[in-house]
Amino acid sequence: MFVRRGEIVIHYNEVVAIGDAYLLAVVSETFGLEGYEIQRIPAHDGGRNVVYTCEKEGESAKILRIAFLPDRSREDFLGEVEFVRYLFEHGGSVSNVISSRKGNLLEEITYNNHIFFVCLFEKAKGKLLVENNYRYREGVPITEYYYNCGKTLGRLHQISKGYTPVHHRYSFFDKYNTEYIDKLIPNSLSLLKEKMVGLLDTLQGLDRDQETFGMLHFDYNDGNYSIDFNTGQISVYDFDNSCFGWYMFDLASIWGNGVGWIQFEPDSSKRKEFMDDYFEKVLEGYRSETNLEESMLEKLPLFIQVNLMENILGRFEDMGNNWKESECYEELSYLIKCLEEDIPYIGFFHEIYSSEDPFEYEKRNI
């Protein structure tokens, strides 16, 4: 990963303080936000940015994002926002990126030798599923939601198949490689490292043609899209992790999203039946917008494992150099066990799984 040379790492709370003292005034002028009420959205675990809502009577609400971590370049950020604009202009259901008064999708602001990359987005219509207490539209079967999840993603992938970037975003193997694994995973987890490298070797042998490999969201879940509960339309945002990869990665993410609906069911055969029906409806929506070859669909178990690998690496990345002081708590232990022992489908149909303590396994020392 790119690191801006010589830059001192700055922390979230420091950015908030700088925002209050300096950045928000500059950003308001840069993006024409005078008169807007700007409120910071509380950070979530693993969040990379300081994010604000911007509201003004008679105007559509907007989302302001200030990126401060030094591991991405200007080219990376431009690659992201240009992709979002391309998706929007070609009919993708995404929160459009808004140009500054200078006509830029991305603004770079320097303060006390710290570089901040600032973007403004339209706020998606509707709200998160969790904000509706995981209830869907009144009088409408939940299967519509499953279908729309697939359909919305299928449309984005179909548009992506015609996308030629001006500014290149990084590709899967630029980040996920043996060096990255060695850096993050402690030597005490040698079997985990071995399994991850094996996954990378398998992926290296896959086709990377226009129909299977392109720019994808890479974090497609119900925390990164809003639902208009009047129509059921899904609007996607937070392309912060977008990169070039296999479209099947996003589809495997949708599969993983489905387990929450049935995770407390003690009968594994009923969990399996539900997941088959759920994913069939997702695929029906997806294939209404884009082609999916059976040969790629057969690789769903592989890409669920790749999602698992990405999840584990992300948790170790969040720990940083503090993993020695961090416990390998039950949920992380579970994920590691599934990858080490080649247990498919995140163990959801395996004896390792407990409906009383979903996705947990005994703590281990790392």
Side-chain angles (χ1 to χ4, degrees):
M1 292 292 286
F2 174 96
V3 176
R4 297 197 289 273
R5 184 176 298 167
E7 184 160 353
I8 300 170
V9 175
I10 188 170
H11 299 289
Y12 180 91
N13 290 336
E14 295 176 82
V15 181
V16 171
I18 293 170
D20 292 342
Y22 172 77
L23 284 177
L24 290 182
V26 175
V27 168
S28 293
E29 183 178 344
T30 302
F31 285 93
L33 294 174
E34 297 89 346
Y36 278 80
E37 182 181 357
I38 301 177
Q39 295 282 342
R40 183 169 55 87
I41 300 173
H44 64 275
D45 289 344
R48 300 178 49 85
N49 312 295
V50 182
V51 183
Y52 302 83
T53 58
C54 309
E55 297 183 342
K56 181 179 180 180
E57 191 173 343
E59 301 288 342
S60 61
K62 297 168 177 62
I63 298 291
L64 173 67
R65 188 187 80 186
I66 300 176
F68 61 91
L69 294 177
D71 61 347
R72 289 185 184 166
S73 66
R74 179 179 178 83
E75 183 87 356
D76 278 331
F77 286 110
L78 282 171
E80 174 198 350
V81 292
E82 286 181 0
F83 181 55
V84 172
R85 174 61 66 83
Y86 182 87
L87 291 172
F88 179 82
E89 290 180 341
H90 289 79
S93 188
V94 300
S95 295
N96 191 24
V97 58
I98 300 169
S99 300
S100 70
R101 280 176 163 157
K102 297 177 183 176
N104 300 324
L105 300 181
L106 177 75
E107 289 290 349
E108 183 178 333
I109 300 173
T110 302
Y111 179 82
N112 279 357
N113 295 320
H114 293 296
I115 299 172
F116 301 95
F117 288 105
V118 184
C119 307
L120 188 68
F121 301 89
E122 293 285 355
K123 188 174 188 294
K125 190 172 183 180
K127 55 187 177 180
L128 294 168
L129 198 57
V130 65
E131 293 172 333
N132 208 45
N133 298 313
Y134 286 98
R135 295 193 308 269
Y136 193 54
R137 304 204 294 139
E138 193 72 34
V140 178
I142 189 71
T143 50
E144 179 191 86
Y145 168 64
Y146 306 155
Y147 179 90
N148 285 346
C149 282
K151 184 178 180 66
T152 302
L153 183 66
R155 181 65 183 153
L156 298 187
H157 286 177
Q158 180 59 30
I159 297 167
S160 179
K161 290 174 183 179
Y163 176 61
T164 302
V166 176
H167 293 85
H168 277 267
R169 189 78 168 163
Y170 62 88
S171 191
F172 180 87
F173 291 112
D174 292 335
K175 178 174 182 178
Y176 297 96
N177 50 52
T178 52
E179 182 183 358
Y180 181 64
I181 291 169
D182 280 337
K183 174 185 170 185
L184 287 180
I185 304 299
N187 290 331
S188 59
L189 297 174
S190 57
L191 178 57
L192 177 64
K193 284 189 177 188
E194 181 184 315
K195 293 295 182 179
M196 287 182 170
V197 171
L199 277 177
L200 294 181
D201 289 344
T202 301
L203 291 173
Q204 288 281 10
L206 297 185
D207 288 340
R208 289 179 229 178
D209 57 42
Q210 190 177 18
E211 284 296 305
T212 61
F213 192 95
M215 269 286 276
L216 60 153
H217 188 281
F218 211 72
D219 196 14
Y220 189 81
N221 64 73
D222 61 39
N224 288 332
Y225 52 71
S226 290
I227 303 167
D228 183 340
F229 285 95
N230 293 316
T231 65
Q233 181 173 347
I234 291 172
S235 297
V236 187
Y237 43 82
D238 198 354
F239 283 78
D240 203 28
N241 292 317
S242 59
C243 65
F244 282 90
W246 288 271
Y247 296 120
M248 274 303 301
F249 182 92
D250 279 350
L251 269 172
S253 295
I254 297 190
W255 188 94
N257 296 343
V259 300
W261 297 104
I262 195 73
Q263 64 180 346
F264 298 113
E265 168 56 55
D267 188 331
S268 63
S269 64
K270 289 181 179 177
R271 294 197 300 270
K272 176 73 163 59
E273 182 181 5
F274 172 86
M275 290 303 294
D276 287 347
D277 292 344
Y278 158 79
F279 200 60
E280 183 180 343
K281 187 58 69 173
V282 167
L283 288 175
E284 186 183 336
Y286 185 83
R287 282 175 157 153
S288 73
E289 294 288 347
T290 194
N291 181 53
L292 175 63
E293 296 290 342
E294 281 296 326
S295 59
M296 285 307 295
L297 183 56
E298 288 168 3
K299 293 179 174 58
L300 175 65
L302 168 64
F303 281 97
I304 291 173
Q305 294 296 86
V306 177
N307 268 260
L308 187 58
M309 176 181 74
E310 185 273 336
N311 193 337
I312 294 169
L313 287 168
R315 289 165 193 251
F316 276 97
E317 190 171 69
D318 290 342
M319 291 182 203
N321 294 320
N322 299 320
W323 59 262
K324 290 180 181 177
E325 289 84 40
S326 301
E327 287 187 331
C328 189
Y329 49 89
E330 288 90 342
E331 187 181 354
L332 180 55
S333 295
Y334 180 94
L335 300 178
I336 291 171
K337 187 76 170 174
C338 287
L339 205 55
E340 284 182 335
E341 299 197 2
D342 301 318
I343 301 172
Y345 298 103
I346 49 177
F348 202 44
F349 316 126
H350 188 273
E351 60 186 17
I352 190 178
Y353 184 81
S354 166
S355 60
E356 295 177 1
D357 299 301
F359 306 106
E360 291 187 2
Y361 195 74
E362 60 191 51
K363 290 182 183 178
R364 63 193 291 173
N365 294 322
I366 56 172

